[in-house]
Amino acid sequence: MSHPLIPPVTEIAEAIAIPLNLEVVEVAIYTHKNPAILRIDIRNLNEHTGLEDCERMSKALEVALDQTDIIPHAYVLEVSSPGTDREIKTDREFIAFKGFSIKAIAGNDTWVGQLVSRDSEHITISQKGRIVTIPRQGITKVELAN
């Protein structure tokens, strides 16, 4: 179960990210820390995500969160890039990472290859030129391979 503050914080973060030409990739709240940590992962839509992007987002988001007073307790805001060793989840990510090396995991089975495509039923990869179609139904995780 996700934290109840994630949807409203995501909405605020996305509204700030759009004019900055950024995308909110993930929002997480770690309440087991003291103070809690609010982590926002962003991606620059036109180029590699840099420290400047994180700083711009952090400053704008900090002001907006303070104005809305949506988080009732002390927290630390962390804005960062998700990096390249991460799970691929959204349609947009599958399009953006077409041609990248991925790892698809289904139970004890693992496939590694270049991402060719994904549709509602399958993920297609190329393993050294051999096309492999993997049913999405059993896949539990797809991530960028190192």
Side-chain angles (χ1 to χ4, degrees):
M1 181 175 177
S2 70
H3 195 282
L5 287 174
I6 289 179
V9 168
T10 301
E11 187 176 316
I12 293 167
E14 288 175 343
I16 291 167
I18 291 169
L20 297 175
N21 209 29
L22 301 171
E23 174 186 26
V24 174
V25 177
E26 187 170 11
V27 175
I29 298 176
Y30 302 100
T31 56
H32 64 282
K33 302 285 186 175
N34 189 12
I37 296 174
L38 171 59
R39 181 183 169 109
I40 312 286
D41 287 343
I42 60 166
R43 178 176 32 243
N44 186 308
L45 295 174
N46 295 326
E47 55 191 47
H48 293 292
T49 307
L51 181 58
E52 301 81 23
D53 296 315
C54 295
E55 288 174 354
R56 289 184 304 133
M57 182 68 177
S58 180
K59 287 178 183 176
L61 184 57
E62 185 177 327
V63 169
L65 291 173
D66 285 348
Q67 288 175 346
T68 62
D69 203 26
I70 196 169
I71 302 175
H73 47 75
Y75 68 95
V76 173
L77 176 62
E78 291 182 0
V79 177
S80 65
S81 166
T84 57
D85 57 341
R86 61 178 224 87
E87 190 170 354
I88 303 172
K89 297 178 184 177
T90 67
D91 290 338
R92 182 183 194 110
E93 290 171 327
F94 276 93
I95 292 168
F97 291 113
K98 182 178 177 180
F100 283 69
S101 182
I102 65 161
K103 178 171 36 172
I105 302 165
N108 292 330
D109 296 323
T110 301
W111 295 269
V112 177
Q114 309 312 116
L115 177 61
V116 174
S117 65
R118 180 185 80 152
D119 61 28
S120 61
E121 297 180 17
H122 299 93
I123 291 177
T124 304
I125 63 172
S126 173
Q127 293 180 321
K128 297 182 180 178
R130 184 175 66 96
I131 300 298
V132 177
T133 302
I134 309 161
R136 281 184 60 183
Q137 184 177 14
I139 295 177
T140 55
K141 187 176 191 180
V142 177
E143 57 189 24
L144 292 174
N146 293 335

